[in-house]
Amino acid sequence: MDNRRAFLKKAGALVSAFSAHSLFQELHAATWSELEERYRHLEPLEMAQNEDYWAVIQQGYSASASPVIILNNGGVSPSPIVVQQAVERFNTMANQGPSYYMWKILDQGRENLRAALAQLGGCDPEEVAINRNSTEALVTVIYGLDLQNGDEVIGSTQDYPNMMQAWKQRAMREGIVYKQLTFDFPIENDDIIVEAYRKAITSKTKLIHLTHVVNWNGQIMPVRKICDMAHAQGIEVIIDGAHSYGLLDFKIPDLGGDYFGTSLHKYLSAPIGSGMLWIRKEKIGKVWPLVCAGDPKSGDIRKFENLGTRSFPIEQGIGEALNFHNAIGTKRKEERVRYLKDYWALKAKEIPGVHIHTSLNAEFSCALAGVSVEGLTPWELERELMLKYKIHTSPISVENIHLVRVSPHVYTKLSDLDRLVEALKKIASQV
Ligand SMILES: Cc1ncc(COP(=O)(O)O)c(C=O)c1O
């Protein structure tokens, strides 16, 4: 085989992170299968505390060696090394001639990727569109649905700002009514939340906009119960799953919603700038595309992927993130990350002057939790943690929520969390 044909054959194989030539296969498959063999008997809850196992996972991330302890994975998560290398490899390939290597070679990986994303989401690939982030996914639906002047949408003041702004724009421009609830989180009773949405419904209500995991304090919302209640009254539900896909163990259709958007660069650890939109099959035709499509009323989910020229290396890098994630398994990952959250939060809760603003009941939280120190604003606490202890967190002050958000990931070491707890002790004792 001449060099050029050999190269093209290799390039073809490389487009699929799901082939025998995937980088995951090259870098991790053998070690991880030995590891799997050793610990197969452990249930996810037991595995959550097996430091031998997680030490291997930590080595897969360059972020685990960062001199600054990164505890804002809820904002955006780093990719494992294998994903970074895949993106670099695809980028090198694309730059040998972007119009050929991106559009003819890398693009061949899109359908495999759609299938793999759907498999993780427990849904039909024909319901999955690949895009760049949750904002793009959710705003596609928010702007894409036909609503009339006076139609009502119910959301909350604790939804994500981009989505609230999109709804407010529709209210300003078209006269829809956007009602917002406010919750006093943490709440450990689903009925309180479901009842609040139920009470806000009127004969004009068409939609509920719901955040699966509230990004401000980590509250997991009773999505299924709200969807069932809404559907019983002919109301559709849009779910913001920015913090749930790739972390919590669920199937998207089982949430009971009609539309679901997520960022793959959060807990899935896919390349930064990758997202996904899911729409229940029979609803695809009625959602107008945000950008454009030959047939805007088409029932083909691919009409939402007409985004113009964008980074195919980033998109194809998602495949290696799925390989990495699937080799761990969602339930195991969920339990580990919840364990990490409990590990620091249960200790922090006992420190005089320190408050935790998140339920530590497994049903109501996973990765994210909020902490505050009496006498300090969230900004002051975040600054102390960063300047004195080199711990990066996220200060939050919205509505009735004032805290520093801490969000570990699978690469976070227990020693990092010990450093956080020690820092909180010192800070609280010096206020
Ligand atoms: C609940 C929620 N929804 C949506 C988003 C937006 O995500 P992205 O910036 O990836 O679009 C975020 C970002 O943190 C979020 O927390």
Side-chain angles (χ1 to χ4, degrees):
M1 208 184 310
D2 64 33
N3 283 348
R4 186 169 164 74
R5 273 175 57 218
F7 173 76
L8 285 178
K9 189 158 181 261
K10 194 165 171 225
L14 283 177
V15 300
S16 178
F18 311 108
S19 73
H21 301 272
S22 86
L23 271 178
F24 184 85
Q25 281 294 328
E26 283 176 28
L27 276 186
H28 294 304
T31 326
W32 285 36
S33 77
E34 261 175 52
L35 196 65
E36 192 59 40
E37 206 46 51
R38 206 175 324 146
Y39 296 119
R40 193 187 295 282
H41 61 286
L42 294 183
E43 290 298 319
L45 253 181
E46 294 170 274
M47 191 64 132
Q49 303 187 39
N50 181 335
E51 295 312 312
D52 273 359
Y53 176 84
W54 296 102
V56 176
I57 309 297
Q58 286 156 14
Q59 284 161 21
Y61 277 85
S62 51
S64 63
S66 162
V68 170
I69 295 177
I70 303 298
L71 290 175
N72 184 18
N73 293 284
V76 61
S77 295
S79 289
I81 295 162
V82 71
V83 176
Q84 298 173 41
Q85 288 181 354
V87 175
E88 279 163 26
R89 213 187 243 198
F90 294 143
N91 199 38
T92 304
M93 182 198 283
N95 280 292
Q96 287 183 309
S99 69
Y100 177 70
Y101 289 103
M102 270 182 26
W103 293 341
K104 302 274 187 227
I105 302 286
L106 286 177
D107 199 34
Q108 288 173 34
R110 166 107 30 93
E111 294 308 315
N112 282 343
L113 186 54
R114 189 188 315 286
L117 286 165
Q119 192 173 24
L120 179 59
C123 59
D124 182 343
E126 293 301 317
E127 299 178 323
V128 168
I130 305 161
N131 57 20
R132 294 170 296 195
N133 51 55
S134 302
T135 303
E136 188 168 62
L138 294 163
V139 167
T140 295
V141 180
I142 295 173
Y143 289 148
L145 286 169
D146 283 324
L147 290 171
Q148 309 302 321
N149 186 308
D151 283 348
E152 292 180 5
V153 174
I154 304 169
S156 105
T157 55
Q158 291 137 335
D159 289 324
Y160 195 68
N162 292 0
M163 307 342 139
M164 295 196 273
Q165 286 159 14
W167 283 122
K168 285 178 185 168
Q169 184 168 311
R170 285 206 74 171
M172 279 169 78
R173 200 171 171 190
E174 300 163 75
I176 67 153
V177 178
Y178 177 44
K179 289 187 185 170
Q180 290 178 281
L181 308 172
T182 295
F183 294 97
D184 198 9
F185 293 131
I187 298 176
E188 296 187 317
N189 178 340
D190 286 349
D191 294 344
I192 294 176
I193 300 176
V194 180
E195 273 315 299
Y197 284 96
R198 190 201 305 278
K199 277 196 199 131
I201 290 174
T202 72
S203 59
K204 299 242 170 93
T205 307
K206 296 287 184 293
L207 267 162
I208 290 179
H209 181 104
L210 190 58
T211 304
H212 191 179
V213 178
V214 176
N215 55 296
W216 311 117
N217 85 321
Q219 175 91 30
I220 299 178
M221 298 289 268
V223 171
R224 177 75 207 211
K225 291 180 184 170
I226 295 168
C227 290
D228 288 349
M229 179 277 292
H231 282 167
Q233 306 186 53
I235 294 163
E236 293 190 325
V237 184
I238 300 180
I239 302 170
D240 179 341
H243 292 265
S244 58
Y245 181 87
L247 177 66
L248 303 183
D249 190 23
F250 66 94
K251 292 183 170 40
I252 299 172
D254 291 351
L255 296 178
D258 303 279
Y259 313 96
F260 177 93
T262 190
S263 298
L264 304 175
H265 48 232
K266 290 191 190 279
Y267 278 90
L268 186 64
S269 271
I272 296 162
S274 57
M276 183 182 101
L277 168 65
W278 171 88
I279 300 185
R280 209 172 267 289
K281 188 90 181 74
E282 62 275 20
K283 313 256 170 173
I284 296 171
K286 72 169 184 169
V287 183
W288 296 91
L290 184 63
V291 184
C292 55
D295 175 6
K297 300 303 276 177
S298 160
D300 185 342
I301 193 82
R302 293 165 190 77
K303 74 182 179 185
F304 300 111
E305 291 174 353
N306 199 6
L307 302 174
T309 306
R310 61 191 180 280
S311 171
F312 282 31
I314 285 178
E315 184 172 291
Q316 284 308 307
I318 299 167
E320 293 292 0
L322 283 163
N323 285 339
F324 196 93
H325 172 93
N326 290 335
I328 297 173
T330 310
K331 190 64 187 160
R332 209 182 261 176
K333 182 167 169 182
E334 173 181 340
E335 294 302 353
R336 170 63 173 182
V337 176
R338 183 175 283 120
Y339 169 72
L340 293 175
K341 186 264 328 268
D342 288 343
Y343 181 88
W344 76 265
L346 286 168
K347 290 181 183 157
K349 189 166 149 272
E350 301 307 320
I351 306 170
V354 172
H355 301 283
I356 298 295
H357 301 263
T358 303
S359 165
L360 299 183
N361 176 333
E363 209 185 313
F364 302 110
S365 71
C366 183
L368 277 59
V371 62
S372 64
V373 171
E374 279 171 26
L376 293 182
T377 65
W379 308 100
E380 288 165 342
L381 176 56
E382 182 258 355
R383 205 178 128 83
E384 282 281 291
L385 286 169
M386 185 61 215
L387 289 184
K388 295 213 183 113
Y389 303 95
K390 296 282 171 281
I391 299 174
H392 171 64
T393 54
S394 174
I396 284 168
S397 215
V398 281
E399 293 286 322
N400 51 0
I401 303 178
H402 307 281
L403 48 83
V404 162
R405 187 183 71 185
V406 174
S407 46
H409 202 301
V410 290
Y411 69 86
T412 306
K413 293 177 272 187
L414 294 187
S415 56
D416 296 343
L417 299 174
D418 289 335
R419 200 156 116 193
L420 170 70
V421 173
E422 281 313 304
L424 288 170
K425 264 187 206 156
K426 291 211 181 99
I427 294 169
S429 69
Q430 286 161 8
V431 180

Short mmCIF file of all heavy atoms in Angstrom, two decimals, residues 93-144:
data_model
loop_
_atom_site.label_atom_id
_atom_site.label_comp_id
_atom_site.label_asym_id
_atom_site.label_seq_id
_atom_site.Cartn_x
_atom_site.Cartn_y
_atom_site.Cartn_z
N MET A 93 -5.04 16.44 11.93
CA MET A 93 -5.58 15.86 10.69
C MET A 93 -6.39 16.90 9.92
O MET A 93 -6.20 17.10 8.72
CB MET A 93 -6.48 14.66 11.04
CG MET A 93 -7.04 13.98 9.82
SD MET A 93 -8.45 12.97 10.25
CE MET A 93 -7.66 11.59 10.97
N ALA A 94 -7.26 17.62 10.63
CA ALA A 94 -8.13 18.60 9.96
C ALA A 94 -7.30 19.66 9.26
O ALA A 94 -7.65 20.10 8.16
CB ALA A 94 -9.06 19.25 10.99
N ASN A 95 -6.18 20.04 9.88
CA ASN A 95 -5.40 21.12 9.29
C ASN A 95 -4.52 20.69 8.13
O ASN A 95 -3.85 21.50 7.51
CB ASN A 95 -4.60 21.84 10.37
CG ASN A 95 -5.51 22.80 11.10
OD1 ASN A 95 -5.96 23.79 10.53
ND2 ASN A 95 -5.86 22.47 12.33
N GLN A 96 -4.56 19.41 7.80
CA GLN A 96 -3.90 18.99 6.57
C GLN A 96 -4.75 19.35 5.37
O GLN A 96 -4.34 19.20 4.24
CB GLN A 96 -3.62 17.50 6.62
CG GLN A 96 -2.50 17.21 7.59
CD GLN A 96 -2.13 15.76 7.61
OE1 GLN A 96 -2.99 14.90 7.77
NE2 GLN A 96 -0.87 15.48 7.45
N GLY A 97 -5.93 19.85 5.63
CA GLY A 97 -6.85 20.22 4.55
C GLY A 97 -8.25 20.17 5.10
O GLY A 97 -8.94 19.16 4.93
N PRO A 98 -8.67 21.23 5.83
CA PRO A 98 -9.93 21.16 6.58
C PRO A 98 -11.14 20.75 5.77
O PRO A 98 -11.95 19.95 6.22
CB PRO A 98 -10.11 22.58 7.13
CG PRO A 98 -8.77 23.22 7.03
CD PRO A 98 -7.99 22.51 6.00
N SER A 99 -11.27 21.27 4.56
CA SER A 99 -12.52 20.99 3.85
C SER A 99 -12.59 19.50 3.49
O SER A 99 -13.66 18.93 3.40
CB SER A 99 -12.66 21.86 2.61
OG SER A 99 -11.71 21.50 1.65
N TYR A 100 -11.43 18.87 3.32
CA TYR A 100 -11.45 17.44 3.04
C TYR A 100 -11.51 16.62 4.34
O TYR A 100 -12.42 15.83 4.56
CB TYR A 100 -10.22 17.04 2.21
CG TYR A 100 -10.18 15.55 1.97
CD1 TYR A 100 -11.11 14.95 1.12
CD2 TYR A 100 -9.26 14.74 2.62
CE1 TYR A 100 -11.12 13.57 0.93
CE2 TYR A 100 -9.26 13.36 2.43
CZ TYR A 100 -10.19 12.78 1.59
OH TYR A 100 -10.20 11.43 1.40
N TYR A 101 -10.55 16.87 5.23
CA TYR A 101 -10.46 16.00 6.41
C TYR A 101 -11.59 16.22 7.41
O TYR A 101 -12.01 15.29 8.09
CB TYR A 101 -9.08 16.15 7.08
CG TYR A 101 -7.99 15.54 6.23
CD1 TYR A 101 -7.14 16.33 5.47
CD2 TYR A 101 -7.87 14.16 6.12
CE1 TYR A 101 -6.17 15.78 4.65
CE2 TYR A 101 -6.90 13.59 5.30
CZ TYR A 101 -6.06 14.40 4.57
OH TYR A 101 -5.12 13.83 3.76
N MET A 102 -12.08 17.45 7.49
CA MET A 102 -13.21 17.66 8.41
C MET A 102 -14.51 17.16 7.79
O MET A 102 -15.27 16.41 8.41
CB MET A 102 -13.36 19.16 8.73
CG MET A 102 -12.55 19.56 9.93
SD MET A 102 -12.69 21.27 10.45
CE MET A 102 -14.23 21.86 9.91
N TRP A 103 -14.77 17.60 6.58
CA TRP A 103 -16.10 17.35 6.03
C TRP A 103 -16.25 15.96 5.40
O TRP A 103 -17.35 15.45 5.28
CB TRP A 103 -16.45 18.45 5.00
CG TRP A 103 -16.62 19.80 5.65
CD1 TRP A 103 -16.85 20.04 6.98
CD2 TRP A 103 -16.55 21.08 5.04
NE1 TRP A 103 -16.93 21.39 7.21
CE2 TRP A 103 -16.76 22.06 6.04
CE3 TRP A 103 -16.33 21.52 3.72
CZ2 TRP A 103 -16.74 23.43 5.78
CZ3 TRP A 103 -16.34 22.89 3.46
CH2 TRP A 103 -16.54 23.82 4.47
N LYS A 104 -15.12 15.38 4.99
CA LYS A 104 -15.23 14.06 4.36
C LYS A 104 -14.80 12.92 5.30
O LYS A 104 -15.31 11.82 5.22
CB LYS A 104 -14.36 13.98 3.08
CG LYS A 104 -14.70 15.01 2.05
CD LYS A 104 -15.82 14.54 1.15
CE LYS A 104 -16.03 15.50 0.01
NZ LYS A 104 -17.42 15.84 -0.23
N ILE A 105 -13.82 13.19 6.12
CA ILE A 105 -13.30 12.11 6.98
C ILE A 105 -13.89 12.19 8.39
O ILE A 105 -14.62 11.31 8.82
CB ILE A 105 -11.75 12.15 7.05
CG1 ILE A 105 -11.15 12.04 5.65
CG2 ILE A 105 -11.22 11.05 7.97
CD1 ILE A 105 -11.21 10.69 4.99
N LEU A 106 -13.61 13.30 9.10
CA LEU A 106 -14.08 13.38 10.49
C LEU A 106 -15.61 13.30 10.57
O LEU A 106 -16.16 12.70 11.49
CB LEU A 106 -13.60 14.67 11.15
CG LEU A 106 -12.11 14.71 11.54
CD1 LEU A 106 -11.74 16.07 12.12
CD2 LEU A 106 -11.79 13.62 12.55
N ASP A 107 -16.27 13.89 9.59
CA ASP A 107 -17.73 13.91 9.63
C ASP A 107 -18.34 12.50 9.59
O ASP A 107 -19.47 12.30 10.03
CB ASP A 107 -18.26 14.75 8.46
CG ASP A 107 -19.69 15.19 8.71
OD1 ASP A 107 -20.03 15.44 9.88
OD2 ASP A 107 -20.47 15.29 7.74
N GLN A 108 -17.55 11.56 9.10
CA GLN A 108 -18.07 10.18 9.07
C GLN A 108 -18.30 9.62 10.47
O GLN A 108 -18.97 8.62 10.64
CB GLN A 108 -17.07 9.25 8.36
CG GLN A 108 -17.01 9.44 6.87
CD GLN A 108 -15.88 8.61 6.29
OE1 GLN A 108 -15.61 7.52 6.77
NE2 GLN A 108 -15.24 9.13 5.26
N GLY A 109 -17.68 10.26 11.45
CA GLY A 109 -17.84 9.76 12.82
C GLY A 109 -19.14 10.21 13.47
O GLY A 109 -19.50 9.74 14.56
N ARG A 110 -19.87 11.14 12.84
CA ARG A 110 -21.02 11.77 13.52
C ARG A 110 -22.11 10.76 13.89
O ARG A 110 -22.67 10.81 14.98
CB ARG A 110 -21.57 12.88 12.62
CG ARG A 110 -22.92 13.40 13.00
CD ARG A 110 -22.98 14.78 13.63
NE ARG A 110 -21.97 15.70 13.23
CZ ARG A 110 -22.06 16.58 12.23
NH1 ARG A 110 -23.15 16.62 11.51
NH2 ARG A 110 -21.08 17.39 11.97
N GLU A 111 -22.43 9.84 12.98
CA GLU A 111 -23.55 8.93 13.28
C GLU A 111 -23.20 7.93 14.39
O GLU A 111 -24.03 7.59 15.22
CB GLU A 111 -24.06 8.23 12.02
CG GLU A 111 -24.71 9.19 11.01
CD GLU A 111 -25.81 10.08 11.61
OE1 GLU A 111 -26.66 9.57 12.37
OE2 GLU A 111 -25.80 11.30 11.33
N ASN A 112 -21.93 7.49 14.38
CA ASN A 112 -21.49 6.61 15.48
C ASN A 112 -21.58 7.34 16.82
O ASN A 112 -21.96 6.77 17.84
CB ASN A 112 -20.02 6.21 15.31
CG ASN A 112 -19.86 5.12 14.29
OD1 ASN A 112 -20.83 4.46 13.95
ND2 ASN A 112 -18.65 4.96 13.79
N LEU A 113 -21.21 8.60 16.76
CA LEU A 113 -21.23 9.41 17.98
C LEU A 113 -22.67 9.59 18.47
O LEU A 113 -22.96 9.47 19.66
CB LEU A 113 -20.59 10.77 17.66
CG LEU A 113 -20.38 11.72 18.81
CD1 LEU A 113 -19.59 11.06 19.92
CD2 LEU A 113 -19.65 12.96 18.31
N ARG A 114 -23.56 9.87 17.53
CA ARG A 114 -24.97 10.05 17.90
C ARG A 114 -25.48 8.77 18.59
O ARG A 114 -26.14 8.82 19.62
CB ARG A 114 -25.79 10.30 16.62
CG ARG A 114 -27.23 10.72 16.86
CD ARG A 114 -28.05 10.76 15.55
NE ARG A 114 -27.39 11.41 14.45
CZ ARG A 114 -27.22 12.73 14.32
NH1 ARG A 114 -27.69 13.54 15.24
NH2 ARG A 114 -26.58 13.25 13.29
N ALA A 115 -25.10 7.62 18.01
CA ALA A 115 -25.56 6.34 18.58
C ALA A 115 -25.00 6.15 19.99
O ALA A 115 -25.71 5.69 20.90
CB ALA A 115 -25.15 5.19 17.67
N ALA A 116 -23.74 6.52 20.16
CA ALA A 116 -23.11 6.30 21.48
C ALA A 116 -23.69 7.26 22.53
O ALA A 116 -23.89 6.88 23.69
CB ALA A 116 -21.60 6.48 21.37
N LEU A 117 -23.96 8.50 22.13
CA LEU A 117 -24.59 9.45 23.06
C LEU A 117 -25.98 8.96 23.45
O LEU A 117 -26.41 9.06 24.61
CB LEU A 117 -24.69 10.85 22.43
CG LEU A 117 -23.36 11.62 22.33
CD1 LEU A 117 -23.49 12.80 21.37
CD2 LEU A 117 -22.91 12.10 23.71
N ALA A 118 -26.69 8.43 22.45
CA ALA A 118 -28.05 7.93 22.71
C ALA A 118 -28.00 6.72 23.64
O ALA A 118 -28.84 6.58 24.54
CB ALA A 118 -28.73 7.56 21.39
N GLN A 119 -27.01 5.88 23.43
CA GLN A 119 -26.90 4.70 24.29
C GLN A 119 -26.71 5.12 25.75
O GLN A 119 -27.37 4.60 26.65
CB GLN A 119 -25.74 3.84 23.83
CG GLN A 119 -25.76 2.48 24.49
CD GLN A 119 -24.71 1.57 23.91
OE1 GLN A 119 -23.71 2.04 23.36
NE2 GLN A 119 -24.92 0.28 24.02
N LEU A 120 -25.84 6.10 25.97
CA LEU A 120 -25.64 6.57 27.34
C LEU A 120 -26.92 7.22 27.88
O LEU A 120 -27.23 7.09 29.06
CB LEU A 120 -24.46 7.56 27.40
CG LEU A 120 -24.15 8.15 28.77
CD1 LEU A 120 -23.82 7.04 29.77
CD2 LEU A 120 -23.00 9.14 28.71
N GLY A 121 -27.65 7.89 27.00
CA GLY A 121 -28.88 8.55 27.46
C GLY A 121 -30.09 7.61 27.47
O GLY A 121 -31.19 8.03 27.83
N GLY A 122 -29.90 6.36 27.06
CA GLY A 122 -31.01 5.39 27.06
C GLY A 122 -32.13 5.82 26.11
O GLY A 122 -33.30 5.61 26.40
N CYS A 123 -31.75 6.43 24.98
CA CYS A 123 -32.79 6.93 24.06
C CYS A 123 -32.47 6.54 22.62
O CYS A 123 -31.43 5.95 22.33
CB CYS A 123 -32.91 8.45 24.20
SG CYS A 123 -31.37 9.32 23.85
N ASP A 124 -33.36 6.92 21.73
CA ASP A 124 -33.23 6.62 20.30
C ASP A 124 -32.25 7.63 19.67
O ASP A 124 -32.40 8.84 19.89
CB ASP A 124 -34.64 6.78 19.70
CG ASP A 124 -34.69 6.47 18.23
OD1 ASP A 124 -33.64 6.44 17.57
OD2 ASP A 124 -35.82 6.28 17.73
N PRO A 125 -31.26 7.16 18.90
CA PRO A 125 -30.33 8.11 18.26
C PRO A 125 -31.05 9.15 17.41
O PRO A 125 -30.56 10.28 17.25
CB PRO A 125 -29.44 7.22 17.38
CG PRO A 125 -29.58 5.85 17.92
CD PRO A 125 -30.91 5.76 18.62
N GLU A 126 -32.21 8.79 16.89
CA GLU A 126 -32.95 9.75 16.05
C GLU A 126 -33.54 10.90 16.87
O GLU A 126 -34.18 11.79 16.32
CB GLU A 126 -34.06 9.03 15.27
CG GLU A 126 -33.53 8.05 14.23
CD GLU A 126 -32.64 8.75 13.17
OE1 GLU A 126 -33.01 9.84 12.72
OE2 GLU A 126 -31.56 8.20 12.84
N GLU A 127 -33.33 10.87 18.17
CA GLU A 127 -33.81 11.95 19.04
C GLU A 127 -32.65 12.83 19.53
O GLU A 127 -32.86 13.69 20.38
CB GLU A 127 -34.54 11.37 20.25
CG GLU A 127 -35.77 10.54 19.85
CD GLU A 127 -36.49 9.91 21.05
OE1 GLU A 127 -35.80 9.48 22.00
OE2 GLU A 127 -37.72 9.84 21.01
N VAL A 128 -31.43 12.56 19.03
CA VAL A 128 -30.25 13.25 19.58
C VAL A 128 -29.57 14.14 18.53
O VAL A 128 -29.20 13.66 17.46
CB VAL A 128 -29.23 12.19 20.08
CG1 VAL A 128 -27.88 12.82 20.37
CG2 VAL A 128 -29.76 11.48 21.32
N ALA A 129 -29.43 15.42 18.85
CA ALA A 129 -28.65 16.33 18.01
C ALA A 129 -27.40 16.73 18.77
O ALA A 129 -27.45 16.97 19.97
CB ALA A 129 -29.46 17.57 17.66
N ILE A 130 -26.27 16.79 18.04
CA ILE A 130 -24.99 17.14 18.67
C ILE A 130 -24.75 18.63 18.42
O ILE A 130 -24.86 19.09 17.27
CB ILE A 130 -23.85 16.29 18.06
CG1 ILE A 130 -24.18 14.79 18.19
CG2 ILE A 130 -22.51 16.62 18.72
CD1 ILE A 130 -23.40 13.89 17.25
N ASN A 131 -24.44 19.36 19.49
CA ASN A 131 -24.16 20.79 19.28
C ASN A 131 -23.07 21.23 20.24
O ASN A 131 -22.21 20.42 20.58
CB ASN A 131 -25.44 21.63 19.37
CG ASN A 131 -26.13 21.43 20.70
OD1 ASN A 131 -25.52 21.00 21.67
ND2 ASN A 131 -27.40 21.74 20.75
N ARG A 132 -23.10 22.51 20.69
CA ARG A 132 -21.93 23.02 21.38
C ARG A 132 -22.08 23.23 22.88
O ARG A 132 -21.09 23.36 23.58
CB ARG A 132 -21.47 24.32 20.71
CG ARG A 132 -20.98 24.05 19.29
CD ARG A 132 -20.74 25.29 18.50
NE ARG A 132 -21.98 26.03 18.29
CZ ARG A 132 -22.13 27.00 17.40
NH1 ARG A 132 -21.10 27.33 16.63
NH2 ARG A 132 -23.27 27.62 17.27
N ASN A 133 -23.29 23.26 23.37
CA ASN A 133 -23.47 23.44 24.82
C ASN A 133 -24.96 23.43 25.19
O ASN A 133 -25.82 23.42 24.31
CB ASN A 133 -22.81 24.74 25.31
CG ASN A 133 -23.23 25.93 24.49
OD1 ASN A 133 -24.41 26.20 24.35
ND2 ASN A 133 -22.26 26.64 23.93
N SER A 134 -25.23 23.47 26.48
CA SER A 134 -26.63 23.47 26.96
C SER A 134 -27.37 24.70 26.50
O SER A 134 -28.56 24.65 26.20
CB SER A 134 -26.69 23.51 28.49
OG SER A 134 -26.04 22.45 29.07
N THR A 135 -26.67 25.82 26.50
CA THR A 135 -27.34 27.07 26.11
C THR A 135 -27.90 26.92 24.70
O THR A 135 -29.08 27.21 24.45
CB THR A 135 -26.33 28.25 26.17
OG1 THR A 135 -25.80 28.31 27.49
CG2 THR A 135 -27.00 29.56 25.81
N GLU A 136 -27.05 26.43 23.80
CA GLU A 136 -27.50 26.28 22.42
C GLU A 136 -28.65 25.28 22.33
O GLU A 136 -29.64 25.51 21.63
CB GLU A 136 -26.33 25.81 21.57
CG GLU A 136 -26.59 25.80 20.09
CD GLU A 136 -25.29 25.59 19.32
OE1 GLU A 136 -24.66 24.53 19.49
OE2 GLU A 136 -24.89 26.50 18.59
N ALA A 137 -28.51 24.17 23.05
CA ALA A 137 -29.55 23.13 23.00
C ALA A 137 -30.89 23.68 23.51
O ALA A 137 -31.92 23.54 22.84
CB ALA A 137 -29.11 21.93 23.85
N LEU A 138 -30.86 24.33 24.66
CA LEU A 138 -32.12 24.75 25.29
C LEU A 138 -32.72 25.97 24.60
O LEU A 138 -33.94 26.06 24.43
CB LEU A 138 -31.89 25.02 26.78
CG LEU A 138 -31.54 23.75 27.56
CD1 LEU A 138 -30.91 24.07 28.90
CD2 LEU A 138 -32.77 22.87 27.77
N VAL A 139 -31.86 26.88 24.17
CA VAL A 139 -32.39 28.07 23.50
C VAL A 139 -32.98 27.68 22.14
O VAL A 139 -33.93 28.31 21.66
CB VAL A 139 -31.30 29.16 23.44
CG1 VAL A 139 -31.68 30.27 22.49
CG2 VAL A 139 -31.08 29.74 24.84
N THR A 140 -32.45 26.64 21.54
CA THR A 140 -33.05 26.13 20.30
C THR A 140 -34.53 25.81 20.55
O THR A 140 -35.41 26.17 19.76
CB THR A 140 -32.31 24.85 19.83
OG1 THR A 140 -30.98 25.20 19.48
CG2 THR A 140 -33.00 24.20 18.64
N VAL A 141 -34.81 25.18 21.68
CA VAL A 141 -36.20 24.81 21.97
C VAL A 141 -37.00 26.04 22.42
O VAL A 141 -38.13 26.26 21.96
CB VAL A 141 -36.25 23.70 23.05
CG1 VAL A 141 -37.70 23.32 23.35
CG2 VAL A 141 -35.46 22.48 22.61
N ILE A 142 -36.38 26.85 23.27
CA ILE A 142 -37.10 28.03 23.78
C ILE A 142 -37.55 28.93 22.62
O ILE A 142 -38.71 29.36 22.57
CB ILE A 142 -36.21 28.82 24.78
CG1 ILE A 142 -35.94 27.97 26.03
CG2 ILE A 142 -36.86 30.16 25.15
CD1 ILE A 142 -34.96 28.57 27.02
N TYR A 143 -36.66 29.19 21.67
CA TYR A 143 -37.04 30.05 20.55
C TYR A 143 -37.77 29.28 19.45
O TYR A 143 -38.39 29.89 18.59
CB TYR A 143 -35.80 30.71 19.93
CG TYR A 143 -35.17 31.78 20.81
CD1 TYR A 143 -33.80 32.02 20.79
CD2 TYR A 143 -35.95 32.59 21.64
CE1 TYR A 143 -33.22 33.00 21.58
CE2 TYR A 143 -35.38 33.56 22.44
CZ TYR A 143 -34.01 33.77 22.40
OH TYR A 143 -33.44 34.74 23.20
N GLY A 144 -37.66 27.96 19.50
CA GLY A 144 -38.19 27.17 18.38
C GLY A 144 -39.64 26.76 18.51
O GLY A 144 -40.23 26.23 17.55
#
